[in-house]
Amino acid sequence: MKKIYSAFYLSLLLLLISTDLKAQDTYQPGYVILNDGTRVPGLIRLNQREPWYNQRVIFMKDSAAVAADPNGKVKSKKYKFTDMKSYQVGQVKFEKVHYVDMENLQLKSLGSNDHMLEVLSSGRINSYRYYSYPPDIEADFGTEEEQNAKEEKRKKDLINGFKILTKKDNESKFNDALDYDVQKYFKDAPEILEKYQKGEYGNQPTAPKKGLAAKMIAMAKKQTFKLEEANAIITAFNEYNQKNAATK
């Protein structure tokens, strides 16, 4: 008879476990901007398997120490979201963003709703990729194989469930561009609006006027082809920012 396991998952424990896997991820050149504005260069490791942890903590090796002993074991330093204003790894930049995830309120949210989020577009339309976090406490029952399968499904759902948090100009509230009519952002840019409506960015074609049923179908397609839609929206946002600079 198979042994039955009962597991309680705490976010802190998951974080500790995930840091043990850091050897599986590659350190890349980058830098951290501390809260006081100090720029610290180094080699940074991003957590690829559980990217939501990059929103809270990163590990960096000192560039000078690595250069002095490239084949040695240089100890990495942990930087928390409370230490940083921003950081960059390769060409990917992360900035501190305040966002309350009302759909996923947890105990950790009582401490802070600041997150280090990947910058997707910057200018009049600012957008960021946001991942929800695993539950503070999760109780599961079943065999070890069943436990592992459930845990992998949870991770996959979190990765696939990312949001594109978006603000234009002086908006005070973020919208999830994947669950929002982004055509509203392009009303003052007819060329981009037309390209988006025709699906020329790789998105599902849309139309300026639709009934409720048609809009619901369009939203369903957007979720079905989420990655393609996300890439298309980001491309449109960046083109908009290039052609529509903010007025001073």
Side-chain angles (χ1 to χ4, degrees), residues 209-245:
K209 295 182 180 180
K210 289 186 173 184
L212 179 60
K215 288 183 178 179
M216 292 178 66
I217 293 173
M219 292 302 297
K221 286 184 177 180
K222 183 180 286 189
Q223 289 300 316
T224 301
F225 302 99
K226 184 172 184 177
L227 187 57
E228 292 85 351
E229 288 291 324
N231 291 335
I233 290 171
I234 295 165
T235 300
F237 283 172
N238 281 299
E239 183 175 332
Y240 178 94
N241 287 335
Q242 290 173 2
K243 296 181 176 180
N244 298 272

Side-chain angles (χ1 to χ4, degrees), residues 37 67 69 197 236:
D69 188 11
Q197 290 173 347

Side-chain angles (χ1 to χ4, degrees), residues 189-209:
E191 179 185 350
I192 294 175
L193 177 60
E194 182 179 2
K195 288 174 65 176
Y196 183 80
Q197 290 173 347
K198 291 181 178 179
E200 294 182 9
Y201 292 105
N203 57 295
Q204 291 292 308
T206 183
K209 295 182 180 180

